[in-house]
Amino acid sequence: MKIKEIRVIVTSPGRNFVTVKIITDEGLYGIGDATVNGRELAVVAYLEEHVIPCLIGRDPMQIEDIWQYLYRGAYWRRGPITMAAISGIDTALWDIKAKAANMPLYQLLGGASRTKIMAYAHAQGRTIEEVADAVLAKKEQGFVAIRAQSGVPGFESIYGIGSSKGAKNSEARIKNLPKEEVWSTSKYLRHIPKVFERLRDVVGWDTHLLHDAHHRLTPIEAARLGKDLEPYRLFWLEDAVPAELPEGYRIIREHTTTPIALGEVFNTIWDARTVIEEQLIDYIRTTSVHAGGVTGLRRIFDFAAIYHVRTACHGPTDVSPVAMGANLHIDLWVPNFGIQEISGYREETHEVFPHAWSQDGGFLHPGEAIGHGVDIDEELARKYPYKRSYLPVNRLEDGTLWHW
Ligand code: CS2
Ligand code: MG
């Protein structure tokens, strides 16, 4: 079997996605997600100019060799653009291999270790009562794990909370440039424990509660928050501190027993090495589209298992249904599974990416279709052209640019 053609499909059914389609001379094809939110076309150029020409005519069964060729062979290793390109190719190759083997991908990985995959949903609100209502609504839908994000009094819009009317009409929105938000760590740190105190009152103790600090704290601030949240027994505190300096997580660990999740922006096992090896985290958030596809993710998860770190694939709306499918096959197999994020897709996204994976209340399953079970309707995809779009940026009250 030989790789005959590789297409890069850019479509925006609700938001931008970059999808790789590898077609073989025997007619089998595979699909992979290569989306980097806000920098989509950089991956397209990387693939079209630098990767695809090298792969035409190769044997698609040589997944490991192709992975190493694109990783080591490029000389310039790692980084989100390179790794998303490798992820798209790798996931599509695993899809082809599993189709050729006539089995669902999870079978090829070693078979199912569980019958269903626990997922967590997002709940958010501007006020504590709005968050409480949102959490109860998700519980009602069958979720046993819910991430709760709250507005902070005095701020218009904040990470994880739908933007207010003002923000929607802002100049940045109109010009299609990054929206700017305002942030105060001290106000946030005072407010969040009150949110979780109230949530435990309304939701009880059987629902897992999670919270994402989105890289905005320093280690000692994160340690304080973890300590203040201990009475409410969180499932985790996510991305408390940017992890370019992984040693910073030692400070958090010394002070709190609140479990720590990290790594949605990690691209390789090297990014994750220190926090895993020193047991500074409890959940590793790497996902197939950003951490080198099935090959890269499997390597990270096996390494994490040695250190009691469990898996928690990133699954926001910008991780396409294709990467979600690949994640779910890994989730069903991986011995050290923890949880899977699902933030929900728009109807048009489901239509462009028909998928075998399914959701039953708060649980997911990859399905029994051969391959990873996710396809792309190319004709429909053409109806949703790419639109430049950005993540917001964040500033302190005095204008200093802050982490987002
Ligand atoms: C988030 C994401 O899902 C999460 O935990 O942190 O919403 C993240 O902000 C986006 O995926 C960025 O692309
Ligand atoms: Mg996050």
Side-chain angles (χ1 to χ4, degrees):
M1 200 187 296
K2 281 189 166 43
I3 295 175
K4 195 174 92 185
E5 187 192 342
I6 305 181
R7 289 184 202 149
V8 184
I9 303 148
V10 182
T11 179
S12 191
R15 68 175 313 136
N16 294 322
F17 295 109
V18 177
T19 308
V20 174
K21 181 169 185 174
I22 302 184
I23 303 162
T24 68
D25 60 347
E26 293 183 16
L28 270 186
Y29 67 88
I31 304 288
D33 181 17
T35 309
V36 175
N37 196 4
R39 294 292 185 270
E40 295 86 356
L41 299 189
V43 191
V44 176
Y46 191 102
L47 282 162
E48 289 183 342
E49 281 301 309
H50 308 295
V51 170
I52 293 171
C54 306
L55 299 184
I56 304 301
R58 280 178 192 271
D59 177 358
M61 293 294 132
Q62 305 266 46
I63 300 178
E64 188 64 51
D65 184 67
I66 290 175
W67 199 98
Q68 299 295 339
Y69 180 86
L70 296 176
Y71 183 82
R72 298 182 187 199
Y75 185 65
W76 308 104
R77 301 181 185 192
R78 315 201 275 164
I81 306 301
T82 298
M83 296 311 292
I86 293 180
S87 300
I89 298 286
D90 183 84
T91 304
L93 292 176
W94 277 99
D95 192 22
I96 290 173
K97 199 187 259 294
K99 283 176 178 167
N102 200 29
M103 48 176 76
L105 176 57
Y106 76 81
Q107 292 291 7
L108 212 55
L109 292 170
S113 302
R114 53 197 56 80
T115 54
K116 55 183 184 177
I117 293 162
M118 179 171 66
Y120 72 90
H122 292 188
Q124 62 272 327
R126 280 183 297 267
T127 63
I128 294 181
E129 286 320 304
E130 269 184 36
V131 188
D133 290 347
V135 167
L136 286 175
K138 291 293 173 188
K139 187 180 174 185
E140 196 65 13
Q141 287 170 25
F143 281 96
V144 296
I146 301 164
R147 183 188 89 163
Q149 302 298 124
S150 167
V152 173
F155 293 123
E156 266 276 293
S157 74
I158 209 162
Y159 167 72
I161 314 300
S163 32
S164 66
K165 210 164 159 251
K168 271 197 184 116
N169 296 329
S170 71
E171 210 189 330
R173 268 290 152 114
I174 294 159
K175 289 189 181 154
N176 203 14
L177 293 173
K179 184 169 72 114
E180 301 215 351
E181 296 180 350
V182 183
W183 175 254
S184 157
T185 301
S186 55
K187 288 179 183 149
Y188 165 82
L189 287 179
R190 280 200 304 277
H191 185 65
I192 292 300
K194 293 181 210 153
V195 175
F196 282 91
E197 184 183 11
R198 177 74 185 131
L199 290 182
R200 275 299 172 215
D201 280 348
V202 301
V203 87
W205 295 89
D206 286 337
T207 300
H208 297 304
L209 291 176
L210 298 72
H211 181 67
D212 188 349
H214 224 254
H215 305 118
R216 290 166 182 219
L217 311 178
T218 64
I220 201 67
E221 290 164 350
R224 157 60 58 207
L225 181 60
K227 230 171 154 170
D228 289 348
L229 291 174
E230 276 171 22
Y232 316 114
R233 296 286 191 273
L234 262 58
F235 187 86
W236 78 38
L237 172 61
E238 175 186 344
D239 283 351
V241 177
E244 286 102 322
L245 180 73
E247 294 81 359
Y249 274 76
R250 290 179 191 149
I251 296 173
I252 308 175
R253 217 33 162 188
E254 276 163 20
H255 292 286
T256 181
T257 55
T258 294
I260 302 296
L262 182 68
E264 65 182 44
V265 300
F266 287 175
N267 308 124
T268 70
I269 195 165
W270 303 102
D271 300 332
R273 186 180 75 90
T274 302
V275 289
I276 290 176
E277 214 170 51
E278 294 191 24
Q279 301 181 58
L280 302 178
I281 62 170
D282 301 279
Y283 295 92
I284 179 73
R285 303 265 297 128
T286 40
T287 197
S288 58
V289 52
H290 299 135
V294 174
T295 301
L297 200 57
R298 190 174 60 164
R299 202 156 278 146
I300 295 171
F301 286 175
D302 271 340
F303 175 63
I306 305 173
Y307 299 97
H308 306 288
V309 175
R310 286 188 284 169
T311 72
C313 286
H314 190 209
T317 52
D318 51 290
V319 163
S320 93
V322 180
M324 178 60 70
N327 289 343
L328 291 174
H329 283 271
I330 296 173
D331 291 338
L332 198 69
W333 152 75
V334 72
N336 49 326
F337 173 73
I339 199 164
Q340 168 68 53
E341 178 182 22
I342 180 122
S343 52
Y345 297 106
R346 288 177 179 223
E347 206 36 55
E348 55 266 45
T349 307
H350 286 294
E351 283 164 11
V352 167
F353 297 100
H355 52 80
W357 60 260
S358 60
Q359 184 175 343
D360 181 9
F363 293 86
L364 302 166
H365 194 282
E368 298 297 336
I370 60 168
H372 58 45
V374 190
D375 210 336
I376 182 165
D377 181 334
E378 289 182 78
E379 207 182 308
L380 193 57
R382 276 193 283 276
K383 293 199 177 135
Y384 300 103
Y386 166 80
K387 273 197 292 244
R388 192 180 65 218
S389 130
Y390 292 97
L391 289 163
V393 296
N394 197 25
R395 291 186 189 274
L396 301 182
E397 288 164 295
D398 68 356
T400 307
L401 199 83
W402 199 241
H403 312 292
W404 192 77

